[in-house]
Amino acid sequence: METLATSSPIGSEIFALIALLVISLVVLLILRHYLPIRTTPAYLLVPIFFALWLPASIVLLVPIDLASNARTEDAGSRGIWLYDRVLLVAWRITYWLTFALTWFILPILAEYADAGYRDPKGRLLFSLRANAQYQALILGAGLATMLYIFIKEGVSPESLKSVVMALAYCWGLVLAIYLMGHGLVAIPRNLFRNASISGKLRRIQTRAPKVHENMEEAIQKLEDLEAQVAQLAQRKTGTARDFKDWIEELADETHLPESRPRTLSRRMSEPHATIPNVITERYLADLSRQLTRARHSRARYLDEWDRLLKDAVHTQTVLDSAASKKIEIGQSSPHSSAFDRITIFTPHTRYLYQYFFLPYSKIVLGVVLTLASICIIWSEFIKSINPIFSIIAVTVVHHRDSEKGEIGFAGQVIASFWILYMCAAALSSLSEVKVWRGRALVRRNTHGEAAMC
């Protein structure tokens, strides 16, 4: 114990700071991939950064906490550790920032970004009204649950505290468990499916009509709204004069000829537009909000259709290369990433890499992740019965020279990988599970309201 008292975690602190900087850099790259950094307001960019950075820091904070609280006689075997006071402050900052972002900051800013009003006051009032309805619904459900438990169990400080804690975590835990459970199955399954080149091409062809239909609907909806703005701009009398600047601003932002890509067939009918006789501020705000959503919806499905076409062409090329044993690539697109522009393979080695190496690698990785998913589910069920049989506990807590469990650097790395895989499983389900009212992440064109969610 004397060694622990005199030791100093300077090396651990330096490592933790470097790791946090790396996490920050990764989060910034993710934001840059999905958001237009230069045009996104700071009041949206900063909360979104912390909304990603705080959960990502758990991958680092939990292993450090495990090692810091491990009872070891040698401080050197702890791995990366910090003082208890530092950990307490870190956990409190993480918890309360996450709490504030989840329940107040992000919902208010999401509705603020989605509001169609021009002035900040109108946007803020719209956001507060929308969130007040949601908070009232949650509060009513919570009070009903508390009343039921109090009738069954009686009223006491302990029961009140337990009910409040359960209600605070219930929604988040249920959603996280559902998303993670879906991802633990979906990730290995997708790897196995994509290992078959012909099967992948068939799934792309099956999916294409639905994506194309969604794209057509999004484009037509935007055309209808822009036609409505065009008719509105022609009004020079009545209540429309009171909102002349607002209407002109909407008209300047519309571009009917560019609403539909030239490669698509033109619609047979004229855009449908219905304008009320009395133009109000609420009507224009709703129209502005619908226009913004329609533009991002069009961008979403155009991007999805473009990626689907590229994936289909690439998959067909790989499938056709079985005869020639070569894969030739043309000139890279200006929008291609730096990795895609690197050509270190010859046509034959590229064929070997994409036709054999990648499919078999996906199978191997799918087997590994399948076993990891089984281990996570098994450990969750068995830990309440006998923690000795928990595979996660066995891989993280190492038993070396004594009967005490020790968590060293290797155990921390393994714990980080377990947490990282579980987080990846939950996050990968966001684009597949329909829980976000049609919101989606679009490369360099994600709507601010969608990014908040």
Side-chain angles (χ1 to χ4, degrees):
M1 295 298 177
E2 183 179 355
T3 305
L4 292 177
T6 58
S7 61
S8 176
I10 296 179
S12 298
E13 292 174 351
I14 295 175
F15 178 88
L17 289 176
I18 295 175
L20 289 177
L21 290 176
V22 172
I23 292 175
S24 302
L25 179 61
V26 172
V27 172
L28 286 176
L29 292 177
I30 294 175
L31 292 180
R32 183 180 179 273
H33 181 77
Y34 288 110
L35 289 174
I37 299 294
R38 296 179 180 178
T39 58
T40 303
Y43 68 84
L44 295 179
L45 201 59
V46 174
I48 294 173
F49 172 83
F50 281 106
L52 292 175
W53 186 83
L54 289 173
S57 64
I58 300 297
V59 179
L60 174 68
L61 193 56
V62 171
I64 292 178
D65 194 359
L66 291 174
S68 300
N69 291 283
R71 296 181 178 180
T72 58
E73 298 178 357
D74 182 14
S77 63
R78 275 186 166 188
I80 307 301
W81 65 280
L82 298 173
Y83 289 121
D84 293 341
R85 182 62 183 175
V86 176
L87 281 174
L88 179 61
V89 173
W91 277 118
R92 285 181 175 177
I93 292 175
T94 302
Y95 175 83
W96 288 111
L97 273 180
T98 304
F99 181 85
L101 286 169
T102 303
W103 287 101
F104 302 105
I105 299 176
L106 292 181
I108 292 176
L109 288 179
E111 296 295 339
Y112 183 90
D114 190 46
Y117 292 90
R118 298 178 68 195
D119 59 304
K121 181 180 178 181
R123 286 174 171 266
L124 182 59
L125 291 177
F126 174 84
S127 176
L128 293 177
R129 283 195 300 267
N131 281 277
Q133 297 174 1
Y134 171 75
Q135 298 291 352
L137 180 63
I138 296 297
L139 181 61
L143 291 177
T145 305
M146 291 178 63
L147 181 61
Y148 173 78
I149 295 178
F150 288 159
I151 293 175
K152 290 291 184 180
E153 304 294 336
V155 181
S156 64
E158 290 76 12
S159 62
L160 177 62
K161 181 179 179 180
S162 61
V163 169
V164 171
M165 292 178 63
L167 292 176
Y169 293 108
C170 179
W171 164 246
L173 286 176
V174 170
L175 184 61
I177 292 172
Y178 173 66
L179 293 177
M180 187 184 72
H182 181 276
L184 291 178
V185 177
I187 291 178
R189 181 186 59 193
N190 291 335
L191 287 172
F192 287 128
R193 286 182 174 180
N194 292 331
S196 173
I197 301 175
S198 59
K200 180 180 179 181
L201 184 60
R202 285 195 300 269
R203 284 189 297 275
I204 292 175
Q205 294 170 347
T206 304
R207 183 185 167 201
K210 181 63 176 177
V211 176
H212 188 272
E213 181 182 355
N214 291 335
M215 181 181 63
E216 290 286 331
E217 291 178 356
I219 293 174
Q220 290 183 11
K221 183 177 181 180
L222 180 59
E223 285 184 348
D224 292 338
L225 291 172
E226 290 182 338
Q228 190 173 344
V229 173
Q231 291 188 14
L232 191 62
Q234 296 176 0
R235 284 197 179 183
K236 305 299 182 180
T237 59
T239 54
R241 292 183 302 176
D242 300 334
F243 305 99
K244 180 181 177 181
D245 295 338
W246 195 345
I247 295 174
E248 290 180 352
E249 181 179 330
L250 292 177
D252 292 338
E253 294 176 355
T254 59
H255 35 74
L256 278 173
E258 291 80 12
S259 294
R260 178 181 294 272
R262 296 179 181 178
T263 56
L264 301 178
S265 59
R266 301 296 299 179
R267 64 188 293 177
M268 300 302 295
S269 60
E270 292 294 328
H272 176 71
T274 303
I275 301 177
N277 295 326
V278 179
I279 307 301
T280 62
E281 183 183 16
R282 184 174 181 179
Y283 164 75
L284 288 177
D286 185 63
L287 179 61
S288 301
R289 183 167 59 254
Q290 292 183 36
L291 274 170
T292 303
R293 289 183 176 181
R295 292 191 185 104
H296 284 88
S297 179
R298 183 197 63 176
R300 168 193 174 183
Y301 288 114
L302 284 176
D303 179 73
E304 187 175 357
W305 177 251
D306 183 60
R307 286 187 286 108
L308 191 71
L309 291 180
K310 290 180 179 179
D311 202 9
V313 171
H314 174 74
T315 306
Q316 186 67 57
T317 302
V318 175
L319 192 62
D320 294 340
S321 65
S324 62
K325 311 297 182 184
K326 295 180 181 180
I327 298 180
E328 300 285 351
I329 60 173
Q331 186 177 2
S332 300
S333 171
H335 303 287
S336 300
S337 62
F339 180 78
D340 295 332
R341 298 178 185 178
I342 298 176
T343 55
I344 60 176
F345 293 122
T346 63
H348 182 65
T349 55
R350 188 179 298 110
Y351 157 76
L352 295 176
Y353 174 75
Q354 296 187 3
Y355 197 86
F356 291 104
F357 179 77
L358 282 183
Y360 285 111
S361 298
K362 291 177 181 178
I363 293 176
V364 173
L365 184 59
V367 171
V368 173
L369 294 184
T370 299
L371 295 176
S373 300
I374 295 174
C375 291
I376 291 173
I377 298 173
W378 167 260
S379 300
E380 187 64 29
F381 279 106
I382 203 65
K383 71 175 184 179
S384 59
I385 302 174
N386 193 340
I388 297 178
F389 297 103
S390 174
I391 300 177
I392 293 181
V394 171
T395 56
V396 173
V397 182
H398 298 163
H399 299 268
R400 298 177 182 173
D401 302 329
S402 63
E403 296 181 355
K404 298 179 180 179
E406 297 182 356
I407 302 177
F409 183 73
Q412 289 179 300
V413 173
I414 295 174
S416 297
F417 277 113
W418 284 118
I419 299 173
L420 184 62
Y421 178 53
M422 288 187 282
C423 292
L427 294 176
S428 66
S429 302
L430 294 179
S431 59
E432 299 183 16
V433 179
K434 308 300 182 182
V435 295
W436 310 116
R437 292 191 310 179
R439 302 181 181 97
L441 298 176
V442 183
R443 183 178 181 271
R444 300 291 177 87
N445 201 9
T446 302
H447 186 20
E449 190 258 353
M452 287 291 176
C453 299

